[in-house]
Amino acid sequence: MKQLLKYSEKIKYLPRSGWLRTNIDNPETVGAHSWQMSLIALYLSTTSIKKEYDFNHVIKLCICHDLAESKIGDITPKDAAYSTKGEREQKAMKEIAQEANFPLLIELFAEYEANQTPEAKLANDLDKIDMLIQARYYEKEYADKNLGEFKQSAIKSIQTEIGKKIAQELML
């Protein structure tokens, strides 16, 4: 467990690169992002859609999806390293899982990245919903910021009906 916590500690303080790039002071961290995704999933588990998804599994996917960033950093589509991000994340997650003796991490990461199961699709949507929430928050906090690029990217990527509904409600 000690090895796992070493990596989780890193993402608690690792700022999200996209927000840094837009000159947001003290931006959301990777750990805060994963936490908020998990909290949304927990909330959804109490709603009428609770029978449509295994929310215990969705929460696991949310918690683990960015853990590899503790080793490789938060790489965005605007970074030169983006073309090798997938391979680097996969390698990092294997190393973390091996060091922590926690092979489930590899399975969860692979499922999230494959984005094929209903739970993975919802977790991926929650990733985008968190970006939408943060963009709207930062636009309110920083009157000079137009983060439409982030909002449009998030909305365009959402794939589940519940994800679309949440995004629509957030945009009102």
Side-chain angles (χ1 to χ4, degrees):
M1 182 191 287
K2 193 174 182 180
Q3 288 300 105
L4 178 65
L5 296 176
K6 174 178 84 172
Y7 293 110
S8 71
E9 190 69 20
K10 287 184 179 182
I11 66 168
K12 284 172 48 178
Y13 299 100
L14 180 65
R16 304 250 308 171
S17 298
W19 305 129
L20 283 176
R21 191 172 285 112
T22 59
N23 298 313
I24 300 294
D25 297 325
N26 195 27
E28 171 190 44
T29 66
V30 173
H33 161 69
S34 296
W35 176 83
Q36 183 153 278
M37 288 172 59
S38 302
L39 183 64
I40 296 167
L42 178 62
Y43 174 81
L44 291 174
S45 75
T46 67
T47 68
S48 62
I49 67 159
K50 65 185 172 189
K51 293 179 183 171
E52 295 178 39
Y53 297 94
D54 175 351
F55 279 98
N56 182 42
H57 195 66
V58 173
I59 292 168
K60 287 177 183 178
L61 293 167
C62 291
I63 290 170
C64 297
H65 84 287
D66 277 341
L67 190 57
E69 292 182 12
S70 65
K71 288 184 76 90
I72 68 166
D74 183 25
I75 300 170
T76 71
K78 293 191 177 188
D79 294 319
Y82 190 74
S83 64
T84 60
K85 178 183 178 189
E87 296 129 34
R88 295 174 70 194
E89 283 183 327
Q90 189 175 31
K91 181 179 183 237
M93 193 59 94
K94 284 180 181 177
E95 291 170 358
I96 294 167
Q98 184 176 10
E99 289 175 37
N101 193 26
F102 194 21
L104 178 62
L105 291 176
I106 297 168
E107 293 172 33
L108 291 169
F109 179 74
E111 180 181 350
Y112 179 87
E113 289 297 309
N115 195 25
Q116 296 296 311
T117 65
E119 287 75 16
K121 288 179 181 184
L122 181 58
N124 273 274
D125 280 1
L126 296 179
D127 179 70
K128 302 308 179 200
I129 288 167
D130 179 64
M131 183 167 65
L132 179 60
I133 292 166
Q134 283 304 127
R136 289 183 51 89
Y137 172 78
Y138 291 141
E139 282 182 335
K140 288 177 186 173
E141 290 295 308
Y142 299 88
D144 64 327
K145 300 287 180 204
N146 178 351
L147 302 173
E149 167 191 0
F150 290 90
K151 294 186 295 188
Q152 289 307 314
S153 172
I155 291 168
K156 183 175 138 184
S157 300
I158 293 173
Q159 53 197 331
T160 64
E161 289 307 311
I162 189 62
K164 291 174 185 176
K165 182 179 177 188
I166 294 168
Q168 185 177 29
E169 289 174 7
L170 290 172
M171 294 306 289
L172 296 177

